[in-house]
Amino acid sequence: MEKVYGLIGQTVSHSFSKTYFDEKFFRDGLRDHRYELFPLKDIKEIETLFKETKGLMGLNVTVPYKEVVMKHLDEVYPVAKFIGAVNVIKISNGKKIGFNTDSDAFYETLNHWLPKGKTYQAIILGSGGSSKAVQKALKKKNMDFKLVSREKKKGDYTYEDLKKNPKIITDTKLLINTTPLGMHPNNDDYPPIEFSQITKEHYVYDLIYNPARTVFLQKAEMHGATIKNGLEMLHVQAEKSWEIWNS
Ligand SMILES: NC(=O)c1ccc[n+]([C@@H]2O[C@H](COP(=O)([O-])OP(=O)(O)OC[C@H]3O[C@@H](n4cnc5c(N)ncnc54)[C@H](OP(=O)(O)O)[C@@H]3O)[C@@H](O)[C@H]2O)c1
């Protein structure tokens, strides 16, 4: 029987995942594998999808369903519970199990990117699902970090605190943007930090992959920082979905 995988979300028409898996299935000669787009107007529609899609083996999950999908699953892995978001579902003998691959993917890309054997103090902008994935990865790397949030109670600093104490950025050499500021179609947005504090010793990572060079990354690069976008993380994360579906 044909094996079906796919992506659920509200708007899934320009999906990286479909292109990625279509190419992978073609390249690996997996002619009985299919990757479908499943736009859902309401998460409740996932029940019909589960019932009616013959051969359904796995799903990726995108906005806005990463959190609400949990109550439609039989089991959610602890990492996904901690992060508060599921981005991969495996269907095995009718059982639906939720996973999150963002933390492992971020960890792997950080290892590829940062100079070996060095640890950095980090600042994470944003406190949502992807921020929690990044926090988990940094803990695994034994790296200290501070959280920046719009709300005092959700982080260590607010954006105003960073403006008032320029030394915070000067002394913290790894900056990670986990906010959606600058993501297509709002390409002109960027997190409100003081870029003049950034130096050539800084490493600046933006989880956004579209556009490839956000204003955040452009401004950081103008001040000499080494920059990285979210594309590799997206690739690694997709490959980890594949590993989960085949485990
Ligand atoms: N490359 C990858 O594989 C990958 C994986 C996951 C996510 N991402 C990208 O990461 C980004 C965030 O994803 P997410 O799921 O974590 O999103 P999210 O939960 O909607 O937002 C993350 C956090 O950003 C902050 N934020 C939101 N809107 C803001 C605004 N207008 N101004 C300032 N801060 C704002 C909020 O933190 P505070 O309330 O604390 O300020 C929020 O909790 C997206 O662009 C997504 O595409 C990439």
Side-chain angles (χ1 to χ4, degrees), residues 5 10 16 26 32 38 47 55 57 113 126-127 142 151-152 159 164 173 177 188 199 201 203-204 210 225-226 230:
Y5 302 85
Q10 209 154 48
F16 150 83
F26 182 77
D32 57 349
F38 299 113
E47 296 297 341
M57 308 296 290
W113 182 53
S127 68
N142 289 319
E151 289 177 54
K152 195 128 204 143
Y159 293 93
K164 277 189 223 140
K173 298 295 188 292
N177 177 37
D188 294 340
T199 66
E201 287 167 37
Y203 286 79
V204 178
N210 181 16
T226 305

Side-chain angles (χ1 to χ4, degrees), residues 10-185:
Q10 209 154 48
T11 321
V12 290
S13 51
H14 298 289
S15 155
F16 150 83
S17 305
K18 181 161 171 58
T19 312
Y20 184 86
F21 283 107
D22 282 350
E23 283 172 4
K24 179 180 182 65
F25 295 160
F26 182 77
R27 199 176 52 240
D28 296 351
L30 300 168
R31 301 287 181 263
D32 57 349
H33 286 49
R34 206 153 47 82
Y35 195 95
E36 293 278 309
L37 296 175
F38 299 113
L40 306 182
K41 287 199 193 77
D42 188 298
I43 190 59
K44 286 183 196 139
E45 294 173 15
I46 199 172
E47 296 297 341
T48 316
L49 184 77
F50 283 144
K51 270 195 208 107
E52 294 184 356
T53 315
K54 294 220 169 19
L56 186 64
M57 308 296 290
L59 292 169
N60 290 120
V61 184
T62 188
V63 283
Y65 300 135
K66 287 184 181 185
E67 288 158 34
V68 289
V69 76
M70 288 199 213
K71 57 177 180 285
H72 297 271
L73 305 175
D74 300 300
E75 193 183 332
V76 175
Y77 260 53
V79 172
K81 273 192 194 150
F82 168 79
I83 292 170
V86 161
N87 69 343
V88 181
I89 300 170
K90 175 177 175 159
I91 297 112
S92 176
N93 299 321
K95 198 172 165 190
K96 298 113 189 170
I97 311 163
F99 299 81
N100 190 298
T101 55
D102 283 339
S103 186
D104 285 349
F106 180 77
Y107 178 84
E108 212 168 295
T109 62
L110 209 55
N111 283 345
H112 294 162
W113 182 53
L114 290 179
K116 300 270 169 289
K118 284 190 111 182
T119 52
Y120 291 85
Q121 298 277 335
I123 280 180
I124 305 172
L125 308 177
S127 68
S130 60
S131 169
K132 293 207 178 71
V134 167
Q135 290 168 42
K136 193 170 184 306
L138 292 179
K139 278 185 190 150
K140 192 170 163 188
K141 279 187 79 62
N142 289 319
M143 285 196 190
D144 285 338
F145 58 84
K146 299 282 188 211
L147 279 187
V148 180
S149 168
R150 291 166 297 177
E151 289 177 54
K152 195 128 204 143
K153 63 178 188 311
K154 288 204 285 182
D156 300 293
Y157 304 124
T158 60
Y159 293 93
E160 288 73 35
D161 292 336
L162 293 189
K163 289 231 159 92
K164 277 189 223 140
N165 303 295
K167 243 177 95 59
I168 298 172
I169 289 188
T170 316
D171 291 349
T172 313
K173 298 295 188 292
L174 176 60
L175 302 187
I176 304 154
N177 177 37
T178 73
T179 78
L181 291 168
M183 186 169 73
H184 178 80

